Amino acid sequence: MNPSNQQYYGQYPPQGGPPPGQAGQSHPGYQHPPQGAPYYPPGGSPAPGQPPYQQPPYSNYNHSQGPPQGPPQGPPQGQPQGGQYQYPPQQYPGGPPQAPGQYPQGQPAQYQNQPYPPQQPPQGQYGQPPAQYGQYPPNNYPGPNANPQAPAPYPPQQYGAPPAAQQWPQPPQQQPMQGYGYGVPPTPPSAGYDQGQRAYYAPVDTSADVEAVRKAMKGMGCDETALIRVFTSIKYENPWAMAQLVADYNKRFIRDLAKDIESETRGDVETGLLALIRGPLEHDVRVLIKALDRAGTDEDALMDVLLCRTNADIRAITAEYKRIKGHELIVDIKDDVDDTLFRLYSMVLSAARAENAAPVIPAEIDQRVTELQRATEGTIGANAIAVAQIFTSSNAAQLHALSEAYARKYHRSLEEVVEKEFRGDVEDALLYMLEGAADRARFDAKRLEKPLYRTPRKDRLFINRVVSLYWDRSRLELAKAAYQRYSPSRTSLRSSIKGFLSGDYEDLMLALIRERK
């Protein structure tokens, strides 16, 4: 090896020329331009004071413009060939060297067709930031016609600046567990609770029926049998068909059908017919208004309308209540019930119940069972708010699973715990939700039986419950079957109605449960 090169083997020659005392010696790697000629650094290196060329990262990417081919430019005439310095293989891990003007022309051979190695800057120095994940590195090679005197563009980040945030691909985050109502389609509103349902309703011919209704109420007396026959016709079992009948009557005779019924009928028949022609949504709102607009709240009516309802139905009811009354439903409830029951109904009216399609997740059920035990038997003084939060946020399937899991884990039924720990209206509301989730058909049968067998009989409550089932025929049939199976006397609902009711009231109720006289 040439002695003049031996001292620099394996390292970069010092910047600025040969060391002092060797000014006349041809220093390896440095070429002096001829007198009067511009400075052309060897191997494409930039002139002193110019920004460095950016070292391209090593990768498999085939650049459309590769590095200039061919051997490096030789020294000018008069320079010794032995002074030509050969760059050693580039093995620095943190990117190009720190001194400007000393970048190699091309990629070393050992890095050809190899993946991009991880860049770790030396201790105390900052290297180039890694390439963005999913993008090819920038092409910084000069083109074949590039001006060698033109300075290379500055790199995105100069050396010595703080390191950029790591952009390495992060591991995929675990999706959250599907919980109560998460990731499932919302339960559609019940029939008659959404104006958008009108688009799927085929109008019917009401001309003959509106004439029959007007004739039944015209003159002296009222033909209630004709009214029952028209209003309970199978043609009007859809709420929107009933709404069309009412609208056509009002338009045809420029009258109000509801006011005509109020003036021509009396008692329970009037209550039943008005409930029928108003449709399920307006009827629910009228029931709430009557339950709250009196001395003493009708808790049974309040529970029938608001508990165990879907979020879509709750939103429709609150909006219709505000349209009719002019203010929020929750305001009237707060004025009529105690603080604990008010907080329970405020949870219900928030419409945050799990949708019907929300799954039953065993881990979450077990966690909530533990919370229920801590809020009831596990503490002195039951926490009604915590229990109400769990009940009102669970759909029927989840609440039924909670009841069964509690019995398996603590060997006591959840109904017994509620009866033991709570009293009054809060107890009734919690049991209402539990029983409705356990067996809805049996629960509906029980709701129909109680008003008939009470003393005194609660006819308005019975009418409201029958009319609410009338709009859902499949639920009505299941309730009738359960009534005969679970009633104390093992009698049918039809037999009970005939035994307790009479006259046009009896005829109307039999027609509403789709039974003949």
Side-chain angles (χ1 to χ4, degrees):
M1 178 181 295
N2 193 324
S4 61
N5 293 339
Q6 185 174 5
Q7 57 179 328
Y8 301 116
Y9 181 74
Q11 59 181 325
Y12 288 99
Q15 182 178 4
Q22 301 180 9
Q25 183 178 351
S26 176
H27 196 282
Y30 286 87
Q31 301 169 16
H32 299 277
Q35 184 70 24
Y39 183 83
Y40 290 94
S45 301
Q50 297 295 329
Y53 294 122
Q54 187 172 355
Q55 171 69 14
Y58 306 117
S59 69
N60 296 333
Y61 176 62
N62 293 325
H63 300 280
S64 60
Q65 297 180 356
Q69 303 297 327
Q73 181 182 359
Q77 295 294 331
Q79 295 293 336
Q81 295 291 335
Q84 182 69 28
Y85 178 76
Q86 301 296 330
Y87 284 91
Q90 305 295 322
Q91 299 179 0
Y92 38 82
Q98 300 300 313
Q102 300 177 11
Y103 290 88
Q105 178 71 7
Q107 295 183 3
Q110 63 267 33
Y111 288 114
Q112 296 293 333
N113 300 323
Q114 293 186 9
Y116 185 62
Q119 298 290 327
Q120 297 180 357
Q123 184 174 4
Q125 300 180 6
Y126 296 111
Q128 287 186 345
Q132 296 288 335
Y133 176 68
Q135 300 180 1
Y136 291 115
N139 184 5
N140 293 315
Y141 287 112
N145 300 323
N147 183 4
Q149 287 185 295
Y154 282 93
Q157 177 177 333
Q158 300 295 330
Y159 297 113
Q166 288 292 336
Q167 301 293 333
W168 300 112
Q170 300 296 327
Q173 297 183 357
Q174 184 179 2
Q175 294 294 331
M177 183 180 295
Q178 193 177 44
Y180 295 95
Y182 176 80
V184 296
T187 306
S190 303
Y193 285 78
D194 184 7
Q195 290 292 331
Q197 297 168 348
R198 284 182 178 270
Y200 304 96
Y201 158 70
V204 297
D205 182 13
T206 63
S207 55
D209 292 327
V210 296
E211 294 290 345
V213 169
R214 180 61 189 142
K215 182 180 179 180
M217 293 186 291
K218 190 175 182 180
M220 297 295 296
C222 178
D223 188 356
E224 294 177 339
T225 303
L227 295 180
I228 295 172
R229 176 182 56 81
V230 173
F231 292 144
T232 60
S233 171
I234 194 173
K235 183 193 298 187
Y236 303 110
E237 65 179 358
N238 186 297
W240 300 113
M242 181 64 73
Q244 181 190 348
L245 175 65
V246 174
D248 290 347
Y249 178 94
N250 296 342
K251 182 179 180 181
R252 169 70 179 82
F253 301 106
I254 316 178
R255 302 179 67 90
D256 189 330
L257 179 58
K259 290 183 178 180
D260 286 349
I261 291 177
E262 290 175 350
S263 64
E264 297 294 335
T265 60
R266 295 291 182 270
D268 298 323
V269 175
E270 175 191 350
T271 302
L273 292 178
L274 287 175
L276 197 57
I277 68 168
R278 284 169 176 163
L281 178 57
E282 184 180 349
H283 174 61
D284 280 347
V285 172
R286 298 292 178 182
V287 170
L288 288 175
I289 293 173
K290 195 167 188 65
L292 296 171
D293 189 20
R294 51 181 286 180
T297 306
D298 187 349
E299 300 295 344
D300 290 325
L302 205 60
M303 291 188 295
D304 283 344
V305 174
L306 297 179
L307 297 185
C308 303
R309 303 298 295 267
T310 64
N311 296 330
D313 287 357
I314 290 295
R315 286 190 286 267
I317 291 169
T318 54
E320 183 71 6
Y321 189 95
K322 185 175 182 180
R323 185 189 71 83
I324 294 176
K325 288 283 289 183
H327 56 267
E328 299 292 342
L329 172 59
I330 192 65
V331 175
D332 287 347
I333 292 178
K334 184 177 182 180
D335 294 338
D336 277 55
V337 301
D338 60 74
D339 183 65
T340 303
L341 193 61
F342 164 72
R343 295 184 66 179
L344 185 149
Y345 279 114
S346 66
M347 297 174 193
V348 172
L349 296 181
S350 67
R353 182 176 183 259
E355 302 293 349
N356 290 351
V360 176
I361 302 175
E364 292 190 358
I365 294 297
D366 185 69
Q367 177 184 355
R368 292 199 165 196
V369 164
T370 303
E371 294 175 3
L372 284 174
Q373 196 276 336
R374 291 174 179 173
T376 53
E377 299 178 298
T379 185
I380 299 176
N383 188 345
I385 305 303
V387 177
Q389 176 64 39
I390 295 175
F391 279 28
T392 57
S393 64
S394 304
N395 62 23
Q398 294 164 353
L399 198 52
H400 181 54
L402 280 171
S403 180
E404 292 185 336
Y406 195 97
R408 287 194 305 268
K409 188 170 184 178
Y410 298 106
H411 308 289
R412 286 179 298 278
S413 70
L414 193 53
E415 290 83 355
E416 293 176 355
V417 174
V418 170
E419 291 173 352
K420 175 184 176 182
E421 299 292 334
F422 301 102
R423 294 290 183 272
D425 297 331
V426 174
E427 175 191 357
D428 295 338
L430 295 177
L431 289 176
Y432 189 102
M433 290 184 279
L434 272 180
E435 294 175 3
D439 187 342
R440 190 174 70 169
R442 184 175 183 177
F443 177 62
D444 288 337
K446 183 178 178 181
R447 291 169 59 232
L448 294 174
E449 180 186 25
K450 277 187 174 181
L452 288 176
Y453 285 86
R454 276 190 181 180
T455 304
R457 192 175 65 225
K458 301 189 69 172
D459 291 300
R460 181 177 293 276
L461 182 61
F462 179 71
I463 293 170
N464 292 339
R465 290 174 174 178
V466 169
V467 171
S468 66
L469 291 176
Y470 171 80
W471 300 115
D472 190 344
R473 185 162 187 172
S474 61
R475 184 175 175 182
L476 173 62
E477 296 300 326
L478 291 174
K480 288 162 59 178
Y483 189 97
Q484 187 163 1
R485 186 182 309 117
Y486 298 112
S487 65
S489 58
R490 296 295 187 270
T491 59
S492 65
L493 179 59
R494 178 180 181 275
S495 300
S496 296
I497 290 175
K498 290 183 70 68
F500 285 97
L501 309 181
S502 60
D504 292 329
Y505 179 29
E506 173 192 344
D507 295 342
L508 177 59
M509 293 298 104
L510 288 176
L512 289 176
I513 67 170
R514 305 179 192 277
E515 294 284 349
R516 295 182 179 179
K517 289 180 66 174

